[in-house]
Amino acid sequence: MAILLVPISTGWMSMKRCMALCFGVMLAVMSGAASAQDLAPADAPRLDAVAATGAAMYRLDQAAATATDLAQAQRAFRRDKRVRGWITEDLGSAVAVYFLDDAGQAIYRVDVPDSDEVSGALQVMDTPLVLDGALAAAVQARASALAALESADDFGGCSRQHNTVVLPVDGHPGRFHVYILPGTTRHHVVPIGGSYRVEVDNGQVIAQRPYTRSCIELQNPPGNVAMMITHLLDDTPTEVHVFWSLWAGTPLMVSTEAGAWRVENGQVTLLHEQ
């Protein structure tokens, strides 16, 4: 029998859970993993929603990163002390990224296409643009979420910098999920610890949750086959696991009370039930 040795980076987990998750991976390699729909049909719609949300988060975050790189190439932008963050707008085949001032007004804009086309030029607003409608509501939701977390006792402060992704909640006009994601400049470290979601309804925070209990970071060196983490806050992987797997470009093995899971290419697969 051939033995395959692969590099897998892990977060903190008990030996029992690590062995269970590795066993699940072995089963998947030997016999092929069953889909989540096959093994847990009741969870299939929820997992589809998790995958879709994680992919949407990644798309908007990448657009913001692309726009930021383009903007930072301009000396005037780098020296502009007014910039206080950004908000994104889904244009269908592209994402508009608005850079905001203290008042939540747009002072720069970059349109980032979904295709491999070159992003549009940095647009400079002669006067700050007052956003309206859904964009204004998203800006308010972002501000409310950041203010709530800054005053929260359980906000770990795992990173000095945080990126935000704001998504509307389907079927609830004026309600948004604001994801607070740790920032990093280290290419081979995945700062999943400190990821939060804040739910805001018409400017008021109505719920918030962390996705980890510590400032855990996953190592993702070149040639890494997979990352591994224990998740005790949910029975299944979440949209945050999908996001960070896409961000890292590496499969993420997740051990929960319900079983062992693989998150890869924006999909969630159940490897082994507990």
Side-chain angles (χ1 to χ4, degrees):
M1 175 184 295
I3 298 178
L4 177 64
L5 298 178
V6 296
I8 297 180
S9 68
T10 67
W12 291 105
M13 63 171 63
S14 68
M15 181 61 68
K16 179 179 179 181
R17 286 191 171 277
C18 183
M19 292 178 64
L21 185 50
C22 291
F23 179 67
V25 173
M26 291 173 58
L27 288 178
V29 171
M30 292 186 294
S31 60
S35 69
Q37 188 169 4
D38 291 336
L39 292 178
D43 285 334
R46 180 158 60 97
L47 292 178
D48 288 343
V50 161
T53 300
M57 292 168 59
Y58 177 71
R59 174 174 175 257
L60 297 183
D61 179 77
Q62 288 300 293
T66 298
T68 299
D69 288 345
L70 189 150
Q72 288 285 355
Q74 304 296 321
R75 182 182 180 187
F77 181 92
R78 295 196 305 270
R79 300 180 66 178
D80 194 337
K81 303 301 183 182
R82 298 175 299 164
V83 178
R84 290 293 183 268
W86 61 81
I87 200 73
T88 56
E89 180 183 19
D90 187 351
L91 302 178
S93 59
V95 175
V97 181
Y98 299 88
F99 293 94
L100 310 172
D101 63 11
D102 273 332
Q105 301 173 116
I107 50 180
Y108 299 95
R109 172 176 171 165
V110 178
D111 290 349
V112 181
D114 288 337
S115 64
D116 293 331
E117 299 175 15
V118 177
S119 299
L122 177 67
Q123 302 174 41
V124 182
M125 308 300 179
D126 292 332
T127 58
L129 175 65
V130 178
L131 303 175
D132 57 13
L135 268 179
V139 170
Q140 179 58 57
R142 176 182 179 274
S144 297
L146 289 172
L149 282 189
E150 286 176 0
S151 61
D153 293 336
D154 62 347
F155 184 51
C158 295
S159 174
R160 292 183 178 180
Q161 295 183 331
H162 292 86
N163 298 324
T164 57
V165 175
V166 183
L167 293 176
V169 178
D170 290 341
H172 297 277
R175 186 175 298 184
F176 296 88
H177 283 157
V178 182
Y179 293 90
I180 315 294
L181 306 167
T184 183
T185 57
R186 294 175 293 170
H187 299 297
H188 304 309
V189 174
V190 180
I192 190 170
S195 300
Y196 276 77
R197 186 186 75 196
V198 181
E199 188 168 354
V200 181
D201 189 6
N202 293 305
Q204 300 297 314
V205 172
I206 60 174
Q208 61 190 60
R209 64 154 297 176
Y211 286 90
T212 65
R213 291 176 174 171
S214 67
C215 295
I216 184 172
E217 294 181 335
L218 303 181
Q219 301 301 311
N220 188 37
N224 191 30
V225 171
M227 303 175 294
M228 190 179 298
I229 191 171
T230 292
H231 182 66
L232 302 178
L233 301 181
D234 304 90
D235 287 338
T236 67
T238 70
E239 64 269 35
V240 162
H241 296 105
V242 174
F243 168 84
W244 284 114
S245 174
L246 289 169
W247 185 89
T250 304
L252 176 59
M253 306 301 178
V254 183
S255 174
T256 72
E257 293 289 349
W261 308 77
R262 181 178 68 219
V263 179
E264 182 177 12
N265 296 325
Q267 299 299 317
V268 180
T269 303
L270 180 60
L271 299 176
H272 173 65
E273 289 184 294
Q274 299 286 34

